[in-house]
Amino acid sequence: MNLLLVLAALTAGTGSYVINDSWRMAPPQPDPAKTINFDEYHDWTAMETYLVSMNATYPDCFHLTILGWSHENRTLYKVEIGDRSRPKEKAVWIDAGTHAREWISPATGEYLINELTLACDRSETSAYTSVDWIILPMVNPDGYAYTHSDERMWRKNRRPADSGDDGGCVGVDLNRNFGTPNEGFGVGASSYSCSETYKGPRGDSEPEVEAFVKAMNEARPRINTAISLHSFGQSWLTSYGYTTERPEDHDHMIAWGKKCVEEIEKASKKNRTYSVEPAGTGLYVAGGASDDFAKYTGIKFVATVELPPSHDGQNNGHKLSADEILSVGEEFYGGLKCVAEVAANPDHFLQSLEQQQAAADQDAARIAAM
Ligand code: 0X9
Ligand code: ZN
């Protein structure tokens, strides 16, 4: 299919479209015989081959679509996991690989994709199969490829600044480029293109962010939960991040975070603990991030999860040893059960919070009356 036909297919109204021959670069060849391993970090080509192989191997549970292309024409994929013959009412969104150097993020994403697909394939009856999963496995493939080929600590995408932009350097920080909420864009970000936190010339200027926004808006009616995987920090950051102000359902998000972090910690074979706090007060104020965009589109349960750092003194925190991929993936998968339970039945979760609050109020009143 040539580019014109691809464009025609896009404008025909489907929004995103079923994978066929719509790649701009040489399409990856599926290799269904290849089993995935989690004892090394995969480069972008290996990840793409894995995704296309999963699509070929599990047509009833795994569905890959092309959302668009990065600046350097790498394919931007969306994965949907769940029983295709029985779509669930609710869906959980996960994205990975926004910041190029945070390798544990897409590696964890791959682990989750693998486990969730296998749970669906064996028709498991569990929280994991009670919702559908919408996963962007790699938001920033150009940056990620660059960390493998040239500069391990690269963070941004790889689009050169528009002519006339201050600095004339390469790369926009994609987690500063989301244009919604308006008042957040530019907060805690730089207008200088050589900065690590360059926000870009305007909100949603980057093809990778445009694809993300389009996919989230399309899926929005079914999504009540969105988690963005980053590193490093061992922290579960709730929205907002662009301000220290809190959304009116702040308490719900913190209670949700604490409940699910408890499950991560229980599942951790490394006895890891995670903090739960709003991004704006717990970390720093920074706008234009995907979590605040998600919250603003009306998604209730929103978090950026900063996965564990390397504690190896020789290494930068981003360079978590590949030996840890499995332990991080396993513990996060433990917490994901709680995420799925709440997403499948948010009313149940909110009612139980109300009951806990009522019981606490009663206790307080009894003590005060003594
Ligand atoms: O700064 C970021 O984009 C994230 N931290 S990282 O070290 N992975 O770069 C945190 C984003 C938190 N959310 C908002 N500030 N909205
Ligand atoms: Zn990050």
Side-chain angles (χ1 to χ4, degrees):
M1 195 189 271
N2 68 25
L3 188 56
L4 278 179
L5 285 174
V6 170
L7 288 175
L10 262 178
T11 46
T14 48
S16 55
Y17 45 95
V18 178
I19 205 160
N20 42 38
D21 50 349
S22 315
W23 285 271
R24 283 187 179 175
M25 295 174 133
Q29 295 308 307
D31 179 4
K34 191 176 183 312
T35 52
I36 184 88
N37 67 321
F38 292 104
D39 52 12
E40 62 182 351
Y41 287 105
H42 304 139
D43 66 11
W44 174 235
T45 310
M47 279 193 192
E48 208 181 6
T49 302
Y50 165 70
L51 293 171
V52 171
S53 303
M54 292 292 277
N55 197 53
T57 312
Y58 298 103
D60 298 336
C61 286
F62 188 102
H63 188 64
L64 195 61
T65 37
I66 294 177
L67 297 171
W69 300 272
S70 65
H71 173 72
E72 291 176 344
N73 280 334
R74 289 187 179 81
T75 310
L76 301 170
Y77 293 102
K78 173 178 77 172
V79 173
E80 286 167 278
I81 300 170
D83 182 346
R84 310 272 314 151
S85 63
R86 280 184 298 159
K88 303 296 176 300
E89 197 191 327
K90 304 289 184 205
V92 173
W93 171 284
I94 299 174
D95 59 80
T98 295
H99 286 142
R101 64 190 174 205
E102 297 169 10
W103 286 9
I104 190 61
S105 156
T108 303
E110 269 188 313
Y111 180 85
L112 303 178
I113 286 171
N114 207 58
E115 291 302 307
L116 292 168
T117 306
L118 297 181
C120 171
D121 185 56
R122 58 178 178 262
S123 301
E124 186 178 290
T125 305
S126 72
Y128 296 110
T129 53
S130 67
V131 291
D132 287 335
W133 300 88
I134 299 177
I135 302 179
L136 300 200
M138 178 58 76
V139 176
N140 179 12
D142 295 352
Y144 186 71
Y146 192 69
T147 60
H148 283 262
S149 62
D150 286 78
E151 201 180 315
R152 173 65 183 83
M153 288 303 287
W154 189 257
R155 168 177 166 97
K156 305 186 283 179
N157 75 351
R158 289 295 302 161
R159 194 174 70 79
D162 299 336
S163 62
D165 259 12
D166 197 9
C169 286
V170 172
V172 169
D173 181 348
L174 299 180
N175 221 28
R176 299 291 179 276
N177 188 247
F178 287 75
T180 313
N182 267 333
E183 63 272 38
F185 180 67
V187 174
S190 177
S191 306
Y192 179 50
S193 69
C194 302
S195 162
E196 286 283 66
T197 54
Y198 176 46
K199 67 186 164 64
R202 64 190 171 280
D204 304 342
S205 60
E206 303 311 295
E208 298 86 357
V209 169
E210 204 187 329
F212 185 120
V213 165
K214 188 164 136 266
M216 190 170 259
N217 283 340
E218 265 174 27
R220 167 69 197 98
R222 297 176 61 214
I223 310 172
N224 60 14
T225 304
I227 296 178
S228 189
L229 296 176
H230 285 251
S231 75
F232 55 96
Q234 278 171 230
S235 47
W236 181 290
L237 303 169
T238 58
S239 191
Y240 303 125
Y242 79 95
T243 170
T244 52
E245 278 168 33
R246 295 167 165 189
E248 42 108 14
D249 62 349
H250 162 82
D251 291 350
H252 294 169
M253 277 202 291
I254 294 288
W256 165 69
K258 286 190 169 157
K259 181 179 161 76
C260 295
V261 155
E262 212 176 288
E263 296 304 316
I264 297 180
E265 291 173 351
K266 264 192 230 159
S268 179
K269 291 186 181 137
K270 299 287 170 118
N271 291 323
R272 292 195 186 99
T273 57
Y274 289 67
S275 63
V276 180
E277 52 206 344
T281 46
L283 188 63
Y284 41 66
V285 174
S290 63
D291 49 9
D292 289 342
F293 163 66
K295 191 69 187 162
Y296 258 69
T297 67
I299 296 170
K300 182 158 181 79
F301 299 105
V302 171
T304 290
V305 176
E306 301 280 3
L307 295 166
S310 164
H311 289 296
D312 169 0
Q314 304 292 310
N315 257 331
N316 174 294
H318 286 297
K319 294 184 185 164
L320 182 63
S321 156
D323 298 351
E324 300 292 353
I325 298 172
L326 208 53
S327 70
V328 173
E330 282 170 356
E331 70 197 32
F332 197 79
Y333 193 68
L336 212 53
K337 181 162 177 275
C338 154
V339 169
E341 277 162 6
V342 174
N345 202 341
D347 292 342
H348 180 261
F349 171 68
L350 295 174
Q351 276 158 15
S352 72
L353 282 188
E354 270 172 34
Q355 281 161 7
Q356 279 167 25
Q357 189 56 49
D361 289 350
Q362 259 180 17
D363 277 357
R366 204 176 310 124
I367 290 165
M370 277 183 351

